Amino acid sequence: NGELGTGKKYPYYDSGDFQEGYDLNVPTKIVGSGVVAAAAGEHSLFVKEDGSLWVMGLNTNGQLGDGTITSKLVPTKILDSGAMDVAASGIHSLLLKKDGSVWATGSNYKGELGTGKFGVSQGSFDDGVDEKEFVQIISSGVRDIAAGPQASYYLMDDGSVWASGVIGFNSNDSGIPNPQKVFDSGARAIAAGQGFLLILKADGSLWGLGANNSGELGLNIGYTFEPVLIKESGVISVSAGSRHSVYVMDDYSLWGMGHNSYNQLGNRDNRQEWEQVIILDRGVHRAVATNASTFILSDTRRPNHFADLNSTVSLDMIWVEPGTFTMGSPESEVGRGTGETEHNVSLTQGFYLGKY
């Protein structure tokens, strides 16, 4: 469908001659530099340092948000500035802007766009069900976004989490057409899978909500409409695949649970795990779960590190990866100074930071 942005697509979607090189089995550079956020389904979106938004891939439901239903084989810019983050599922997309607003486009069959409508579009887009351009869903106050099949999730500045679409595995559910609060407070990060949501709180506890058909919540329970506690403390990052979950602890160990038919939990016997199991006992700084894979960023040169301050006191040091972040304050912030204009800062080298 062109989601890799190479200018070619899978041959059975092509009306012309067979094109070699449509799939890639080694990492291949698509954009040389400047990308700060990316997301993918059967289409891809990415944000560059200047706040521009670029898209490529399948567009049959308007999920690229460029005002057409024409798929794109190469990266195509659809927004010049203002973008901060993106999220995508199979046929819908979310955009988080620097002003804290959230925008959505694509399929809205179960209300996942949060526009107040849902159902089968008649294909013309005139019925207001599906959207082929990004429409505003929430005007401000959003910190992070996540997308699952027929579902969208929004982490607010106040630590609450809201959702639209279907939360759960049952495709017969009508869905939530308007964003609805599903978690009250304290959330720091969210990750969405197929019908389930993981919520990491600022206190290091991990919570889950939704489907548990394969043990993706790490608890021997069924579907849950209410958030349930998965891990009491010590979690520093979390990621959700289609039907499996992984999280990193503050000792840099990696844990996982759920579906394992493709050995995505790394235990080599393809056994589904209904309880949380350890995958690596040290050295993991980040893990990303995809459909049926897990990618691990590990640096054996940087295990847990302690600096001795004196003979009786030591300081736990945490490794901070290089990357790009937004520094400054929004214009709406109370007490904002004149020199606090928001701007991107890029760190090319990582560093240790003392943990208190």
Side-chain angles (χ1 to χ4, degrees), residues 306-316:
F306 295 88
D308 291 327
L309 301 183
N310 54 42
S311 60
T312 59
V313 179
S314 65
L315 179 65
D316 187 1

Side-chain angles (χ1 to χ4, degrees), residues 241-297:
S242 178
R243 290 190 287 161
H244 76 289
S245 307
V246 294
Y247 61 86
V248 179
M249 296 292 293
D250 54 10
D251 62 359
Y252 303 106
S253 61
L254 176 64
W255 295 70
M257 56 269 196
H259 195 64
N260 195 34
S261 293
Y262 299 96
N263 199 34
Q264 53 264 55
L265 297 181
N267 61 12
R268 300 183 182 179
D269 62 4
N270 301 94
R271 183 181 66 250
Q272 183 167 298
E273 298 290 355
W274 288 90
E275 297 181 351
Q276 303 152 56
V277 296
I278 191 165
I279 299 173
L280 290 172
D281 61 2
R282 63 185 180 277
V284 178
H285 291 279
R286 189 182 178 193
V288 177
T290 64
N291 182 30
S293 305
T294 300
F295 294 84
I296 301 168
L297 176 62

Side-chain angles (χ1 to χ4, degrees), residues 154-308:
Y154 322 95
L155 171 57
M156 307 300 291
D157 285 338
D158 63 3
S160 64
V161 180
W162 297 62
S164 56
V166 173
I167 306 173
F169 196 74
N170 185 1
S171 61
N172 294 322
D173 291 345
S174 59
I176 305 169
N178 291 297
Q180 174 179 305
K181 186 188 291 188
V182 295
F183 197 79
D184 288 332
S185 63
R188 180 169 67 85
I190 54 176
Q194 185 171 309
F196 71 98
L197 176 69
L198 301 175
I199 302 168
L200 175 59
K201 291 189 68 174
D203 62 7
S205 62
L206 179 61
W207 298 69
L209 173 70
N212 193 38
N213 302 62
S214 300
E216 46 268 73
L217 298 184
L219 303 170
N220 195 12
I221 61 173
Y223 177 94
T224 173
F225 288 95
E226 298 294 331
V228 292
L229 180 63
I230 297 172
K231 192 75 174 181
E232 291 185 358
S233 63
V235 181
I236 60 175
S237 68
V238 62
S239 185
S242 178
R243 290 190 287 161
H244 76 289
S245 307
V246 294
Y247 61 86
V248 179
M249 296 292 293
D250 54 10
D251 62 359
Y252 303 106
S253 61
L254 176 64
W255 295 70
M257 56 269 196
H259 195 64
N260 195 34
S261 293
Y262 299 96
N263 199 34
Q264 53 264 55
L265 297 181
N267 61 12
R268 300 183 182 179
D269 62 4
N270 301 94
R271 183 181 66 250
Q272 183 167 298
E273 298 290 355
W274 288 90
E275 297 181 351
Q276 303 152 56
V277 296
I278 191 165
I279 299 173
L280 290 172
D281 61 2
R282 63 185 180 277
V284 178
H285 291 279
R286 189 182 178 193
V288 177
T290 64
N291 182 30
S293 305
T294 300
F295 294 84
I296 301 168
L297 176 62
S298 178
D299 191 342
T300 56
R301 297 171 301 171
R302 299 187 178 97
N304 295 351
H305 179 70
F306 295 88
D308 291 327

